[in-house]
């Protein structure tokens, strides 16, 4: 049912079927209901086929509903407007960024707002009025660039805005329950900012427990990215499992043994309270749903089935918002869980017997880490076009410590939130986290193990995912029968890989690249590209947002940067003039 529902979403996404799908859905549902009411052997035999067809058409219809763009008001490009805070977003060196609601209570719309760092931080207990520059988010003009407008549209955000000057604020007396919770979380974040530990330790604590990475410095984020440890910063399944385990461990010592179910139910309630408090982000909600579904099996005294739990959790999430299917976090989290289910036990069987607790922890950490990394590798390369071999070693060192790190950080967050914390314990936490961050930074320094700008198409990704599926059988039993499908798939992959390389190498291209208000010129000949930039261009940003994505999409291996004449407004190439200014 889940697979058919997902196929329905994909069909609607890429084929954009019209209104007749609603009538088709009603017709199939009616036929299915008739089959369950009928005693005819023919209709009894068709029930399972009709049921999965219902979910397929339901996926088409719901995704059409979730993808509809509502009527948007015509907003002037610059006007004094009223707005309120919805969510803090990642900041940059110049601006803090927020998700806001403009004109709350009226013709309200959501927008991404940038506020200069010199202005006060926004909170949830005030309404704000300011002169705002606001505009619709535009799609990229080059096919290789990330479509930020589509990403925002999936989150029902259609505008971006900027406050150039001062803000006026008025305190709200009738805050909603959600705003009160958000404000309390914001106050705890501010308390953490006031404690006397290193800034990196503060930002780490806020990120790993309260899901706030808005002020984390770029170097730390880059270290976690290079070492494949970003999943530690993002509140996900591993965090929720550890926190659930801590709650259950405490409650099982309070309740008598015969009330084990009560301890499970209370632990599940507590992790949902935690999820609501930290902002019920997508990854947190996904993890809570999966854990809740899994333990419902235990409460009902049924054998836990991870695949059914995953499918049921995916259905709940996608029925509420089908756009989640295209969220990278959604895909990676389910691929990781499936990878652990599919490869963990086969890998463990090839490791020596765990005759001690330490060996058991180390071997399980290794097998789980390897299973998760192998299963998510195709998607990681497809979306981020990079991979580091050092991530395997980094995960083996840091993952065994992750439970201690999460529990210690949770305890310190609770004590700081209650305004009671021993200074000695705070200093010990600071030193401990600094050692962890230094270790991660040390691992990130092995640049020779980092592979960047790896080209990957959807077809190549599908082949690699199929390779991982057949890999289980080869690990369980190494023989020619299990080896042949893998060899065939690997041959197909490299054939497609080299075929695409040859295709792109034969294509020459002259292109104007758009990045915000700037334009850049490039000439591609074979697998080499020349980029023409102004002398004052920020080459680091151009390389990150223009050069690297373009080289990856065109599977080019070399490039050269050339400087345009001072204040050049156009470029002539082969007798054609290419404008660089609007």
């Amino acid at each position: 049912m889940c697979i058919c529902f997902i196929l329905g979403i994909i069909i609607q996404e890429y084929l954009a079927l019209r209104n007749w799908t609603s009538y088709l859905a009603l017709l199939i549902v009616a036929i299915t209901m008739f089959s369950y009411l009928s005693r005819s052997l023919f209709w009894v035999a068709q029930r399972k086929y009709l049921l999965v067809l219902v979910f397929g058409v339901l996926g088409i219809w719901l995704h059409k509903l979730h993808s509809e763009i509502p009527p948007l008001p015509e907003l002037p490009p610059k006007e004094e407007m009223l707005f309120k805070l919805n969510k803090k977003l990642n900041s940059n060196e110049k601006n803090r960024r927020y998700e806001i609601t403009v004109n709350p209570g009226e013709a309200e719309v959501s927008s991404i707002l940038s506020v200069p760092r010199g202005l006060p931080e926004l909170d949830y207990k005030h309404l704000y009025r300011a002169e705002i520059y606001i505009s619709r988010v535009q799609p990229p003009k080059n096919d290789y660039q990330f479509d930020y407008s589509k990403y925002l549209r999936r989150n029902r955000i259609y505008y971006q805005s900027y406050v150039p000057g001062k803000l006026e604020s008025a305190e709200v007396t009738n805050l909603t329950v959600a705003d009160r919770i958000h404000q309390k979380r914001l106050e705890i974040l501010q308390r953490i900012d006031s404690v006397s530990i290193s800034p990196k330790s503060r930002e780490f604590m806020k990120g790993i427990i309260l899901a706030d990475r808005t002020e984390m410095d770029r170097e730390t984020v880059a270290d976690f990215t290079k070492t494949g440890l970003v999943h530690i910063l993002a509140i996900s399944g591993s965090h929720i499992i550890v926190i659930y385990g801590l709650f259950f461990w405490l409650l099982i010592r309070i309740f008598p043994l015969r009330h084990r179910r009560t301890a499970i139910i209370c632990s599940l309630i507590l992790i949902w309270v935690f999820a609501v408090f930290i902002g019920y982000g997508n990854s947190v909600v996904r993890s809570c749903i999966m854990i809740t579904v899994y333990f419902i099996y235990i409460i009902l005294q049924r054998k836990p089935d991870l695949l059914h739990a995953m499918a049921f959790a995916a259905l709940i999430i996608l029925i509420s918002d089908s756009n989640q299917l295209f969220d990278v976090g959604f895909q990676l989290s389910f691929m990781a869980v499936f990878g652990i289910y599919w490869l963990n036990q086969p890998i463990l069987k090839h490791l020596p017997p765990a005759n001690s607790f330490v060996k058991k922890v180390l071997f399980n950490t290794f097998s789980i880490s390897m299973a998760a990394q192998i299963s998510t590798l195709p998607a990681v390369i497809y979306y981020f076009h990079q991979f580091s071999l050092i991530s395997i070693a980094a995960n083996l060192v840091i993952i065994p410590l992750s439970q201690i790190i999460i529990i210690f950080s949770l305890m310190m967050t609770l004590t700081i939130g209650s305004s009671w914390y021993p200074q000695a314990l705070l200093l010990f936490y600071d030193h401990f986290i600094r050692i962890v961050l230094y270790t991660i930074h040390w691992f990130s320094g092995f640049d020779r193990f980092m592979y960047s700008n790896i080209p990957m198409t959807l077809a190549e990704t599908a082949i690699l995912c199929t390779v991982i599926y057949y890999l289980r059988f080869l690990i369980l039993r190494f023989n020619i029968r299990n080896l042949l499908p893998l060899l065939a798939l690997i041959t197909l992959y490299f054939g497609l890989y080299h075929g695409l390389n040859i295709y792109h190498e034969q294509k020459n291209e002259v292109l104007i690249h758009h990045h915000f208000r700037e334009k850049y010129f490039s000439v591609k000949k074979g697998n080499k590209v020349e980029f023409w930039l102004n002398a004052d261009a920020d080459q680091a940003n151009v390389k990150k947002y223009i050069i690297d994505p373009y080289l990856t999409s065109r599977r080019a291996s070399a490039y050269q940067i050339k400087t345009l004449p001072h204040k050049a407004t156009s470029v002539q190439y082969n007798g054609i003039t290419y404008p660089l200014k609007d």
Side-chain angles (χ1 to χ4, degrees):
M1 292 175 190
C2 181
I3 291 171
C4 288
F5 189 82
I6 289 172
L7 288 174
I9 294 173
I10 293 171
I11 289 169
Q12 177 61 30
E13 175 70 17
Y14 293 104
L15 298 182
L17 302 180
R18 302 297 178 184
N19 293 329
W20 59 265
T21 56
S22 303
Y23 303 109
L24 179 62
L26 289 172
L27 177 62
I28 293 175
V29 169
I31 295 172
T32 305
M33 291 179 65
F34 174 77
S35 72
Y36 276 88
L37 294 173
S38 174
R39 295 184 180 181
S40 168
L41 292 178
F42 172 79
W43 286 112
V44 170
Q46 308 307 315
R47 285 175 184 172
K48 57 184 177 182
Y49 303 111
L50 287 169
L51 191 60
V52 294
L53 191 59
V54 164
F55 276 86
V57 177
L58 184 63
I60 294 174
W61 178 71
L62 277 178
H63 190 57
K64 179 181 178 300
L65 191 66
H66 292 152
S67 302
E68 287 181 348
I69 299 176
L72 298 173
E74 289 294 331
L75 298 176
K78 181 182 178 182
E79 188 175 277
E80 191 174 82
M81 295 181 180
L82 193 69
F83 63 92
K84 69 172 185 177
L85 175 63
N86 288 344
K87 185 190 298 184
K88 283 181 67 180
L89 302 175
N90 290 341
S91 303
N92 55 37
E93 295 174 357
K94 295 182 179 179
N95 302 308
R96 293 189 180 91
R97 297 172 69 248
Y98 304 92
E99 180 188 322
I100 62 169
T101 297
V102 180
N103 298 326
E106 300 174 12
E108 59 183 40
V109 293
S110 295
S111 171
I112 301 297
L113 175 70
S114 296
V115 178
R117 283 187 171 272
L119 295 179
E121 288 191 54
L122 306 188
D123 60 36
Y124 296 92
K125 61 183 180 181
H126 287 88
L127 278 176
Y128 296 90
R129 183 183 294 276
E131 191 173 55
I132 295 178
Y133 291 93
I134 189 165
S135 61
R136 287 284 300 273
V137 183
Q138 299 299 319
K141 296 185 178 180
N142 300 115
D143 60 354
Y144 62 86
Q145 291 176 297
F146 173 66
D147 193 342
Y148 187 57
S149 64
K150 181 183 285 188
Y151 169 78
L152 291 180
R153 189 167 68 247
R154 294 195 192 282
N155 291 281
R156 296 173 179 82
I157 300 172
Y158 305 96
Y159 294 88
Q160 57 187 359
S161 49
Y162 177 73
V163 173
K166 68 174 185 176
L167 288 165
E168 296 179 3
S169 61
E171 189 165 349
V172 180
T173 55
N174 55 341
L175 284 176
T176 64
V177 174
D179 284 340
R180 290 180 188 276
I181 294 171
H182 292 154
Q183 181 61 29
K184 184 63 179 177
R185 172 176 172 268
L186 185 61
E187 290 170 1
I188 293 177
L189 290 170
Q190 292 169 347
R191 287 181 190 174
I192 293 173
D193 284 333
S194 66
V195 298
S196 55
I197 58 176
S198 65
K200 287 192 175 184
S201 296
R202 287 200 300 264
E203 297 307 322
F204 181 83
M205 185 192 300
K206 288 157 61 178
I208 199 171
I209 298 300
L210 296 175
D212 183 278
R213 290 189 288 160
T214 56
E215 301 296 332
M216 189 170 285
D217 63 284
R218 290 184 178 181
E219 183 186 25
T220 303
V221 175
D223 290 344
F224 277 88
T225 302
K226 289 179 181 178
T227 53
L229 292 167
V230 176
H231 59 88
I232 291 180
L233 285 179
I235 305 281
S236 57
S238 57
H239 295 70
I240 301 299
I241 288 171
V242 170
I243 293 169
Y244 170 86
L246 177 62
F247 289 150
F248 182 75
W249 181 81
L250 293 172
L251 291 171
I252 202 67
R253 280 154 178 75
I254 297 172
F255 294 107
L257 189 59
R258 64 180 180 274
H259 292 297
R260 184 169 176 268
R261 290 186 191 177
T262 307
I264 293 174
I265 293 169
C266 291
S267 300
L268 291 175
I269 292 171
L270 287 172
I271 63 168
W272 278 105
V273 170
F274 174 76
V276 170
F277 183 76
I278 65 174
Y280 42 84
N282 293 333
S283 61
V284 181
V285 172
R286 281 195 298 268
S287 304
C288 288
I289 289 175
M290 292 179 70
I291 291 172
T292 302
V293 171
Y294 184 83
F295 280 101
I296 284 173
Y297 278 89
I298 294 175
I299 292 170
L300 298 177
Q301 295 184 335
R302 295 186 62 180
K303 183 181 177 181
D305 189 312
L306 185 60
L307 286 182
H308 283 299
M310 285 174 58
F312 189 51
L315 274 174
I316 293 172
I317 295 166
L318 294 176
I319 286 173
S320 62
D321 183 7
S322 59
N323 285 304
Q324 284 291 307
L325 178 64
F326 305 98
D327 182 80
V328 179
F330 176 92
Q331 296 174 23
L332 289 177
S333 62
F334 278 91
M335 290 176 76
V337 175
F338 178 79
I340 293 168
Y341 164 82
W342 194 243
L343 297 176
N344 181 42
Q345 290 303 319
I347 293 172
L348 271 178
K349 287 183 178 180
H350 287 272
L351 298 177
N355 50 15
S356 68
F357 176 77
V358 175
K359 285 184 178 180
K360 186 176 181 180
V361 170
L362 290 175
F363 292 166
N364 274 281
T365 300
F366 174 79
S367 62
I368 290 172
S369 178
M370 285 297 296
Q373 288 192 67
I374 290 171
S375 62
T376 56
L377 181 61
V380 167
I381 297 176
Y382 176 73
Y383 285 111
F384 306 110
H385 302 288
Q386 63 180 22
F387 173 70
S388 176
L389 288 174
I390 203 66
S391 65
I392 298 171
N395 274 274
L396 289 176
V397 172
I398 300 300
I399 292 299
L401 292 173
S402 62
Q403 293 188 24
I404 298 171
I405 294 170
I406 293 168
I407 293 172
F408 198 1
S409 299
L410 177 62
M411 182 179 68
M412 293 308 304
T413 303
L414 292 172
T415 56
I416 292 171
S418 63
S419 300
W420 181 88
Y421 50 90
Q423 191 65 29
L425 187 63
L426 191 64
L427 292 175
F428 178 74
Y429 175 82
D430 186 23
H431 287 298
F432 175 64
I433 297 302
R434 287 168 72 177
I435 291 170
V436 171
L437 294 177
Y438 175 79
T439 305
I440 295 170
H441 180 70
W442 180 77
F443 275 116
S444 71
F446 291 88
D447 291 331
R448 61 183 176 275
F449 294 105
M450 186 72 181
Y451 298 91
S452 302
N453 298 339
I454 306 172
M456 181 75 76
T457 62
L458 195 58
E460 291 169 297
T461 306
I463 294 172
L464 288 182
C465 288
T466 312
V467 167
I468 292 167
Y469 174 81
Y470 281 103
L471 183 62
R472 170 188 171 90
F473 308 112
L474 187 66
I475 296 173
L476 286 172
R477 179 174 294 180
F478 188 89
N479 56 35
I480 192 68
R481 182 180 178 182
N482 293 332
L483 181 62
L484 284 176
L486 281 174
L487 291 177
L489 287 166
I490 291 170
T491 303
L492 178 62
Y493 170 79
F494 280 106
L496 179 61
Y497 175 84
H498 289 296
L500 289 171
N501 284 351
I502 293 169
Y503 170 77
H504 282 283
E505 189 174 345
Q506 293 176 345
K507 289 186 67 176
N508 297 328
E509 184 177 46
V510 178
L511 194 64
I512 296 290
H513 305 266
H514 299 259
H515 183 58
F516 295 110
R517 296 181 180 178
E518 300 297 324
K519 292 184 180 180
Y520 308 102
F521 177 75
S522 73
V523 178
K524 177 182 177 296
K525 294 180 179 179
N527 63 351
K528 296 182 180 179
V529 186
E530 290 182 355
F531 289 92
W532 293 81
L533 312 179
N534 291 319
D536 58 349
D538 186 344
Q539 291 196 13
N541 266 340
V542 174
K543 184 176 186 305
K544 181 178 179 181
Y545 296 108
I546 298 295
I547 295 176
D548 285 347
Y550 180 74
L551 293 177
T552 303
S553 69
R554 301 306 191 261
R555 305 174 93 93
S557 58
Y559 72 95
Q560 184 180 7
I561 294 178
K562 295 188 175 182
T563 305
L564 289 167
H566 184 60
K567 294 184 179 179
T569 58
S570 63
V571 178
Q572 279 200 342
Y573 182 79
N574 283 348
I576 301 174
T577 300
Y578 295 90
L580 296 178
K581 297 292 181 182
D582 292 329

